[in-house]
């Protein structure tokens, strides 16, 4: 028999097409799925349940989707202050030099801390892009989170690196095709087309995406680098060149998407393309704001990400929604340019669509996976409830620290603000030790280079 759970006496924000807000309702779960959602007056009373949770004073909503991050880079938090990682020069001379001295044993604790922070602040699904997948995969599985893991490919014109990475990429995709949890999927993660992936590598990545029927998770248009290169060499925009090469035939997650020419928007709207905006990272890098309102109006799917925590520096998607909505109004020079409800859609359904999971997650619809979060409404920011409607409160008034419980596929990952799958204290202690050793290795290499 499948486990049954009844969550009762909660305010429920369903989102999705029905978009109901139920002031006092229940959610019935069975076998990791949502079976029913409704008012308490219609709650089932003729059966028993394996678990009954009284959610009085709490709000239930779909889990958030962090569509772009690099979890091992938690190890580097604080190392890129005052530097823009949105340029090749800034990224290479700040982060790439550290990546070249880090060791695989440093990765596990960094990913554990990243997953713990996402769980604690209400993220239930994330899109990761990095290398060291042998270390990332076990942590992602154990965390209980749902994830699209993209093997990060950085070539920088080196044919030896290209062949080495392609062998690792193919092995990774074979493994991910047989994930025993059913929560993880493998993607291809070219760091950035045209900037550090050659045309030859792009073509192989496209063919692998076709072979495994998966998507590509990239960085695109943080500035004019790709378009300048493509205009100079091919007399066309980067998006047009990608289309000519067949890269847009597979789903694409494009982190940042700040400077895509408006003339390319109709083409992207017609494809399985998602612009993943990372507003905090954008602002800290001194970059322009992504044209979220315009891209959505053009029909492009938009999702939300934190990027790495050197750029951000945290995983709280509630804070990220607030920054997203405010930055949209600032860019468009009008209040409410992006409504609170639209910001919530971007952080839930938008991310679900980006990862090809919109039939499974993104709203509280019967038949979908039981990926949900419960927030405590006894904290600050919620009142007065008469005027501070739930959408406005969730985006503008509260933070992820008011998340009380987190569930993925019917299993608790956070229960009464306590992690159930990750020993955060132990992981944080280990991460601090690795960060100290990383600093020592970095200093040693700098001394050797100067000698």
């Amino acid at each position: 028999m499948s486990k049954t759970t009844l969550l009762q006496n909660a305010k429920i924000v369903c989102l999705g097409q029905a978009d109901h807000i139920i002031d006092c309702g229940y959610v019935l779960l069975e076998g990791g799925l949502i079976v029913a959602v409704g008012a308490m007056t219609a709650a089932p009373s003729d059966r028993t349940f394996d678990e009954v949770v009284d959610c009085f004073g709490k709000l239930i909503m779909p889990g958030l989707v962090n569509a772009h991050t690099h979890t091992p880079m938690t190890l580097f938090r604080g190392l890129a202050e005052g530097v823009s990682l949105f340029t090749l020069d800034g990224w290479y001379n700040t982060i790439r030099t550290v990546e070249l001295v880090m060791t695989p044993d440093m990765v596990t604790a960094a990913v554990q801390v990243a997953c713990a922070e996402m769980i604690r602040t209400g993220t239930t699904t994330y899109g990761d892009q990095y290398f060291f997948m042998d270390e990332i995969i076990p942590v992602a599985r154990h965390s209980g989170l749902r994830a699209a893991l993209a093997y990060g490919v950085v070539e920088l014109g080196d044919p030896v690196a290209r062949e080495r990475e392609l062998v690792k990429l193919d092995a990774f995709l074979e493994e991910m095709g047989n994930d025993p949890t059913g929560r993880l999927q493998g993607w291809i993660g070219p760091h950035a087309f045209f900037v550090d992936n050659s045309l030859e590598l792009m073509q192989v990545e496209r063919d692998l995406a076709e072979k495994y029927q998966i998507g590509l998770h990239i960085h695109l248009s943080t500035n004019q680098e790709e378009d300048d290169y493509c205009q100079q060499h091919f007399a066309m925009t980067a998006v047009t060149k990608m289309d000519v090469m067949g890269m847009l035939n597979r789903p694409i997650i494009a982190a940042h998407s700040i400077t895509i020419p408006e003339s390319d928007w109709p083409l992207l709207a017609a494809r399985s393309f998602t612009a993943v905006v990372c507003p905090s990272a954008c602002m800290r890098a001194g970059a322009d704001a992504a044209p979220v309102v315009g891209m959505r109006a053009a029909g492009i799917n938009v999702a939300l990400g934190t990027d790495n925590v050197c750029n951000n520096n945290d995983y709280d998607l509630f804070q990220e929604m607030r920054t997203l909505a405010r930055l949209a109004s600032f860019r468009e020079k009008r209040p409410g340019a992006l409504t609170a409800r639209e910001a919530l859609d971007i952080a839930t359904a938008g991310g679900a669509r980006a990862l090809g999971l919109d039939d499974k997650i993104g709203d509280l619809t019967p038949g979908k996976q039981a990926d949900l979060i419960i927030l405590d409404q006894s904290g600050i920011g919620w009142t007065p409830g008469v005027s501070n409607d739930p959408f406005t409160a969730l985006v503008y008034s509260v933070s992820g620290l008011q998340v009380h419980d987190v569930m993925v596929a019917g299993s608790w990952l956070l229960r009464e603000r306590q992690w159930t799958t990750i020993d955060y204290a132990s992981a944080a202690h280990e991460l601090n030790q690795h960060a100290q050793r990383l600093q020592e290795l970095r200093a040693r290499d700098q001394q050797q280079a100067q000698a």
Side-chain angles (χ1 to χ4, degrees):
M1 293 289 290
S2 299
K3 179 183 176 181
T4 56
T5 299
L6 179 67
L7 309 175
Q8 62 183 11
N9 297 321
K11 181 183 285 290
I12 302 172
V13 176
C14 296
L15 302 181
Q17 292 185 346
D19 207 16
H20 296 310
I21 296 178
I22 304 170
D23 286 329
C24 185
Y26 75 95
V27 181
L28 175 59
L29 315 172
E30 184 171 358
L33 300 176
I34 299 170
V35 175
V37 180
M40 281 305 299
T41 54
S45 57
D46 58 346
R47 56 179 296 191
T48 58
F49 306 96
D50 297 312
E51 181 180 34
V52 177
V53 180
D54 186 9
C55 299
F56 180 78
K58 296 183 174 65
L59 180 148
I60 302 175
M61 65 173 287
L64 304 179
V65 181
N66 186 344
H68 176 68
T69 190
H70 311 280
T71 56
M73 292 179 71
T74 310
L75 179 65
F76 308 147
R77 182 149 46 191
L79 293 184
E81 300 306 299
V83 176
S84 172
L85 301 184
F86 279 25
T87 64
L88 179 59
D89 180 70
W91 164 75
Y92 188 86
N93 290 306
T94 302
I95 296 303
R96 189 59 179 164
T97 55
V98 183
E99 289 176 334
L100 293 173
V101 299
M102 72 185 294
T103 54
D105 63 298
M106 298 177 179
V107 174
T108 296
V111 179
Q112 287 175 327
V113 169
C115 289
E117 291 189 18
M118 285 191 279
I119 291 169
R120 180 63 186 84
T121 52
T123 289
T124 54
T125 299
Y126 70 101
D128 209 0
Q129 192 223 52
Y130 212 68
F131 34 97
F132 290 120
M133 279 297 166
D134 287 345
E135 288 70 36
I136 294 173
I137 293 171
V139 178
R141 284 179 177 152
H142 186 74
S143 74
L145 287 164
R146 201 176 298 280
L149 306 178
Y151 185 96
V153 183
V154 179
E155 176 197 35
L156 294 172
D158 182 352
V160 175
R162 179 192 310 159
E163 293 306 315
R164 180 187 67 239
E165 292 306 298
L166 286 175
V167 170
K168 292 181 179 179
L169 173 61
D170 203 28
F172 162 74
L173 295 175
E174 285 287 344
E175 178 181 359
M176 294 306 294
N178 299 298
D179 176 62
T181 70
R183 291 180 284 98
L184 307 184
Q185 52 178 311
W187 282 54
I188 299 171
H191 184 261
F193 291 155
F194 311 112
V195 176
D196 57 37
N197 273 215
S198 65
L199 297 183
E200 293 80 6
L201 180 57
M202 288 173 63
Q203 290 167 344
V204 176
E205 290 163 339
R206 176 202 62 199
D207 293 343
L208 284 172
E210 289 285 352
K211 173 184 175 182
Y212 289 99
Q213 291 294 289
I214 56 173
L216 300 133
H217 185 159
I218 68 171
H219 298 86
L220 181 68
S221 294
T222 55
N223 51 45
Q224 292 294 126
E225 283 181 302
E226 296 101 331
D227 281 317
D228 288 348
Y229 178 88
C230 289
Q231 289 290 0
Q232 180 182 354
H233 291 84
F234 313 116
M236 62 183 71
T237 67
V239 167
T240 303
K241 181 60 177 175
M242 288 162 59
D243 189 43
V244 169
M245 294 179 65
M247 306 304 295
L248 299 181
N249 293 339
R250 299 304 309 162
I252 286 185
I253 293 174
H256 308 306
S257 297
I258 296 170
T259 60
I260 298 173
E262 189 172 343
S263 59
D264 284 333
W265 293 356
L267 172 59
L268 296 177
R271 303 303 178 90
S272 183
F273 177 92
T274 296
V276 182
V277 294
C278 305
S280 292
C282 162
M283 293 176 70
R284 295 202 71 209
D288 290 333
V292 175
V293 175
M295 288 191 293
R296 279 173 56 87
I300 295 174
N301 185 48
V302 176
L304 187 63
T306 57
D307 201 7
N308 64 74
V309 292
C310 301
N311 268 339
N312 190 301
N313 291 18
D314 68 67
Y315 289 106
D316 188 344
L317 278 185
F318 283 92
Q319 301 280 19
E320 208 64 36
M321 281 193 290
R322 183 177 308 179
T323 305
L324 168 73
R326 287 175 173 171
L327 191 57
S329 291
F330 180 81
R331 186 187 191 281
E332 302 298 326
K333 300 296 186 288
R334 59 185 174 89
L338 188 74
T339 68
R341 176 64 183 82
E342 289 169 332
L344 281 163
D345 182 73
I346 289 171
T348 53
R353 286 190 292 270
L355 302 178
L357 296 171
D358 46 318
D359 61 334
K360 295 182 178 181
I361 63 170
D363 56 71
L364 302 183
T365 298
K368 289 197 171 184
Q369 294 283 320
D371 291 16
L372 54 83
I373 60 179
I374 305 174
L375 290 90
D376 184 356
Q377 291 187 283
S378 67
I380 63 173
W382 296 99
T383 57
V386 173
S387 55
N388 194 29
D389 68 86
F391 297 153
T392 301
L394 288 167
V395 173
Y396 286 111
S397 302
V398 305
S399 77
L401 292 179
Q402 295 197 29
V403 172
H404 192 266
D405 306 279
V406 173
M407 174 182 282
V408 171
S411 295
W412 297 109
L413 309 189
L414 187 77
R415 190 74 184 95
E416 296 182 343
R417 294 191 171 99
Q418 299 298 313
W419 289 280
T420 65
T421 60
I422 296 175
D423 182 346
Y424 175 76
S426 176
H429 176 72
E430 186 177 350
L431 178 61
N432 284 330
Q433 293 180 318
H434 291 320
Q436 179 62 42
R437 186 159 63 91
L438 182 69
Q439 295 281 49
E440 293 168 357
L441 291 172
R442 188 186 192 190
R444 181 203 65 188
D445 278 17
Q446 289 174 340
Q447 291 173 354
Q448 290 176 348
Q450 293 170 358

